Amino acid sequence: MAPCCLSLFFLFLFTFASVPANSLPTFFPGAKQAKARTSKPKLPFKTHYFPQTLDHFNFQPKSSKLFHQKYLINTDYWQKGAPLFVYTGNEGDIEWFAANTGFLLDIAPKFKALLVFIEHRFYGESMPFGKHSYQSAKTLGYLTSQQAMADFAVLIRSLKQNLSSVASPVVVFGGSYGGTPILQFDKIVPWSSFYDAVSQDFKDVSLNCYEVIKGSWAELEAMSTQKEALAELSKAFRTCKSLRSTASARDWLWTAFVYTAMVNYPTQANFMKPLPAYPVQQMCKIIDKFPSRATKLSRAFAAASLYYNYSRSENCFEIEHEVDSHGLHGWDWQTCTEMVMPMTCSKESMFPPFGFNYGEFAAICQMKYGVSPRPHWITTEFGGERIRNVLKRFGSNIIFSNGMQDPWSRGGVLKNISSSIIALVTEKGAHHVDFRSSTEDDPDWLVELRKQEVGIIQKWLNEYYADLRHG
């Protein structure tokens, strides 16, 4: 490894997106929600703002406009010349990701690393046009993955110069959209793989649980045809305000089951919502304890309530007015432009079968933003099925870490590409679980996974410093 090169480590666990054409919830489902005023977590970081260039890819006068890109930094363990551990922000407030990525704080003392969490443009406080950033496609047009990666590169380069530590290696960490597996796009993996995987998570716990959820949709559909359907649903679902659409109840259930599968952690956590250890198992226990005479819909509602109210702090549910407490609302634009990941539901899924119609999807994006999606752009830009050859050619050092409980893992890299492009796969792992802070309750497989990752990083850094010494 040449001394001038960055030592790159991408921890890829899954991506976030789901864009069925028939108005099912988009994951993350934030675009239709109001922004919540929530207190930021207290974190051991200092907040800084970098004067970032609006457009890195042309030289028109307006391209040089600057905006303030937020980043968090921790220098508690750093020594000059030691590595920079950089988390490349994704679709939300950077504090949210910093609060849920304790792995970097856990290992920073060992490597004497400086920690940096960079916020993605158009999320959190990093708004290029302030409160007008989401006004139209004229402003949102600068929200692309290419612009974001250029932001990260420019900021990292400047930071190393300002630290007078240009030779420090950089280890980059990314999860969610920030660690997007290219294989999720186009037709590289089956379009039904995501919802099939969610369904399998529940089916593996309890066949009855899977069948109850699978049958609840028909009961909901039948209920929607009744004269007082909305009033009855509002009562059954304990809504704070009367429902205006039965689809809202469907989306509420759907979202709970999908996100619970994604964050099926082995310990208590508060990433999407406060949840117990192994929440899929807990949901199925709720369903399985109901008497056989209970409706499937009532059992599904009780299970979904665990996701929304495990803390027991909610007296009613804001089903149509839930707030976006993590600042996810830019993701709808990205899925309507370049992050096009078609989703379908097969008959094996516990969700109602549906297909993907690009024409309908494009019409929705035209209506929302006045733009047409580019369904093949990501694979054109980054390589698609050829990504393995691209990575080999550039000699990258990458760890792809996938937990098979996470439905996004089906679109991840599950086999080694080379001796330095490594796939770590855990059968019980979920949504970037290894990024989370270690706890006394961590199972052995998770402890071993993190140990492997630390060992690989150490090996790469040793090689980098050896190359640096020999010039």
Side-chain angles (χ1 to χ4, degrees), residues 114-177:
L114 181 142
L115 304 182
V116 187
F117 281 72
I118 308 175
E119 192 163 69
H120 194 295
R121 58 168 55 202
F122 285 87
Y123 290 99
E125 295 181 40
S126 301
M127 296 291 175
F129 300 94
K131 64 181 180 181
H132 303 296
S133 294
Y134 284 76
Q135 193 168 44
S136 70
K138 289 184 178 180
T139 51
L140 281 167
Y142 296 101
L143 172 51
T144 70
S145 58
Q146 295 89 344
Q147 295 282 8
M149 287 190 290
D151 288 343
F152 299 144
V154 169
L155 196 156
I156 291 168
R157 180 185 179 91
S158 175
L159 185 61
K160 290 176 69 175
Q161 290 174 334
N162 290 337
L163 293 169
S164 300
S165 194
V166 176
S168 284
V170 177
V171 185
V172 180
F173 299 77
S176 181
Y177 152 58

Side-chain angles (χ1 to χ4, degrees), residues 280-300:
V280 170
Q281 287 85 329
Q282 297 304 316
M283 275 190 172
C284 286
K285 281 184 181 179
I286 292 171
I287 287 175
D288 291 344
K289 284 181 179 178
F290 267 76
S292 58
R293 65 179 181 276
T295 66
K296 292 177 179 178
L297 183 58
S298 66
R299 285 179 270 180

